[in-house]
Every structure is written in structure tokens, then in C-alpha cells.
């Protein structure tokens, strides 16, 4: 089990547990827990199922919000597929956690993500589009996710992700990640370029 650094050790609190309730879903009744960043008031959440502290370990996914695919069914990325797959697998396993981070568009926000889509419609790939808008490739940060998992006192983690950087960053924050579980999504004509760019530029482990 990861040992959470105390607020004093960290100099400031990254995230505080704020609310906690049962959430019946079509996959079963999860516990929904909301965590707040004290400075910004930004709210992240964790959906847990079963005993996440069990020493034999749990399935986990750290997922960044994607309004366009998760709510509206956009085919430009594989976020919704990955979210659905993670929740299916956790439900099948009977225990696990999904940490849902409110960092839309790799951290650049919804409006800028849609501006990047406009550039992509003119031929730029996802990374070129971000750069032309003045953003680095990926502003996502995982210290919040690490802190949430730590506060949940999770056992050893089997992390569902195609992104090796995510595994490294969470380990660097002290989490015990036992294995990486591939999280394949559907490849479509609309997301092919996006997935290819993730694979080529950032070493995501995806079969295309
Ligand atoms: Zn997406």
C-alpha cells in the first residue's frame, strides 16, 4: 500500500475528500467519491466497487474527462471506449477503482480542444494542432490521481492503460503498480490519425 505524504510533507494539500455516496449504475452499485482541489475548487472523482484495499490487488483506471466522446459520442478519439471498457472490467472483477480527472482535452480545456479540432479539420494532427495553439503536447498531470488512490488506501494496482508515461508518473508518485493491462478501443476512420499520432509520438501501446 502506498504511503500518502502528509499535507505538511507536501507543503500544501493537493486534493481533499469532499463527498461520498452510493451510486447505482447499470453495471452495479458503485461508490462515488468527490475530491476537491482546495485552490481552484476543481472537482475530480473516484468510482469504486468492492474493497479497493484488498491486499491481492485491484483493477484501476486513471481516466481524463472527454465530454465530446463520453456525452456526445464523438468518434474523434477512443476515450469513451476506454471508459466503458474499464467500468465493464471492474464490474466483472467485482472490485476496482476508476479515477476520473477533470482535465478536458489533455488539460487544455474544452474550448481549446474544439479549436484544435478546427485545425485538425484542415489537416493538422492532434499534436501539431496543440502546438499551433501554443500548448505543449500534453498538460495532463497525475499527482492528483496518485493522491486520490493513496487516500483510498488501494492495494497493488493493475492499471488499465495504453500509456507507458502514465504508469511511470504514477509510480514516481509512490503508487504500487503491479502490471499494465491493455485498454484497447475501436479504431475508426475518424480516430485513426489520432491513435496513430499517440502511438508514433508518445509510444502508446496500441494495435492499429
Ligand atoms: Zn476523447
Amino acid at each position: 500500500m502506498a504511503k500518502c505524504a502528509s499535507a505538511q510533507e507536501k507543503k500544501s494539500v493537493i486534493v481533499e475528500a469532499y463527498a461520498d455516496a452510493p451510486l447505482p449504475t447499470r453495471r452495479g452499485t458503485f461508490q462515488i467519491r468527490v475530491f476537491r482541489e482546495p485552490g481552484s475548487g476543481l472537482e475530480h472523482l473516484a468510482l469504486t466497487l468492492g474493497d479497493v484495499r484488498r491486499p491481492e490487488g485491484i483493477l484501476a483506471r486513471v481516466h481524463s474527462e472527454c465530454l465530446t466522446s463520453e456525452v456526445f459520442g464523438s468518434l474523434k478519439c477512443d476515450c469513451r471506449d476506454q471508459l466503458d471498457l474499464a467500468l465493464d472490467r471492474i464490474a466483472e472483477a467485482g472490485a476496482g477503482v476508476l479515477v476520473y480527472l477533470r482535465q478536458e482535452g489533455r488539460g487544455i480545456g474544452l474550448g481549446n480542444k474544439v479549436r484544435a479540432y478546427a485545425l485538425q479539420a484542415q489537416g493538422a494532427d492532434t499534436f501539431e494542432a496543440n502546438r499551433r495553439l501554443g500548448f505543449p503536447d500534453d498538460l495532463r498531470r497525475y499527482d492528483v490521481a496518485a493522491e486520490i488512490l493513496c487516500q483510498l488506501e488501494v492495494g497493488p494496482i493493475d492499471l488499465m492503460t495504453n500509456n507507458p508515461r502514465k504508469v511511470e508518473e504514477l509510480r514516481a508518485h509512490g503508487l504500487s503498480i503491479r502490471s499494465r493491462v491493455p485498454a484497447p478501443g475501436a479504431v475508426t476512420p475518424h480516430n485513426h490519425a489520432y491513435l496513430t499520432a499517440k502511438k508514433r509520438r508518445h509510444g502508446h501501446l496500441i494495435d492499429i
Side-chain angles (χ1 to χ4, degrees), residues 17-197:
Y18 186 76
D20 187 340
L23 187 73
T25 76
R26 58 196 166 86
R27 295 181 179 88
T29 299
F30 287 72
Q31 197 72 12
I32 182 168
R33 303 162 194 269
V34 177
F35 294 82
R36 273 192 173 182
E37 291 186 39
S40 63
L42 199 58
E43 294 179 328
H44 306 281
L45 53 101
L47 282 185
T48 64
L49 185 70
D51 177 13
V52 296
R53 296 188 291 185
R54 60 188 198 178
E56 64 267 40
I58 52 154
L59 269 176
R61 171 148 179 93
V62 171
H63 188 90
S64 296
E65 97 176 293
C66 177
L67 181 93
T68 42
S69 76
E70 291 159 11
V71 176
F72 301 117
S74 160
L75 300 176
K76 281 186 65 66
C77 55
D78 60 347
C79 304
R80 183 178 178 169
D81 284 347
Q82 293 202 311
L83 179 65
D84 282 342
L85 180 72
L87 291 172
D88 285 347
R89 293 258 174 91
I90 289 169
E92 281 162 23
V97 56
L98 177 108
V99 176
Y100 190 85
L101 300 172
R102 311 296 295 283
Q103 44 186 5
E104 180 74 48
R106 294 201 179 96
I108 67 176
L110 180 61
N112 287 318
K113 182 170 92 167
V114 172
R115 292 177 81 179
Y117 282 178
L119 292 173
Q120 289 164 30
Q122 296 160 16
D125 82 17
T126 164
F127 296 99
E128 284 161 7
N130 277 17
R131 284 198 195 129
R132 276 162 63 184
L133 290 170
F135 296 107
D137 288 344
D138 195 337
L139 283 170
R140 286 179 296 186
R141 37 185 285 237
Y142 296 107
D143 53 341
V144 167
E147 179 62 23
I148 289 171
L149 290 166
C150 194
Q151 289 189 22
L152 293 172
E153 299 180 7
V154 295
I157 290 171
D158 298 318
L159 190 71
M160 288 179 272
T161 183
N162 300 320
N163 181 357
R165 187 191 140 211
K166 201 185 282 187
V167 176
E168 282 165 27
E169 294 227 352
L170 291 172
R171 277 191 179 137
H173 284 96
L175 285 178
S176 166
I177 298 182
R178 182 170 55 189
S179 70
R180 185 187 68 83
V181 180
V187 180
T188 72
H190 302 285
N191 70 16
H192 187 272
Y194 162 83
L195 294 174
T196 303

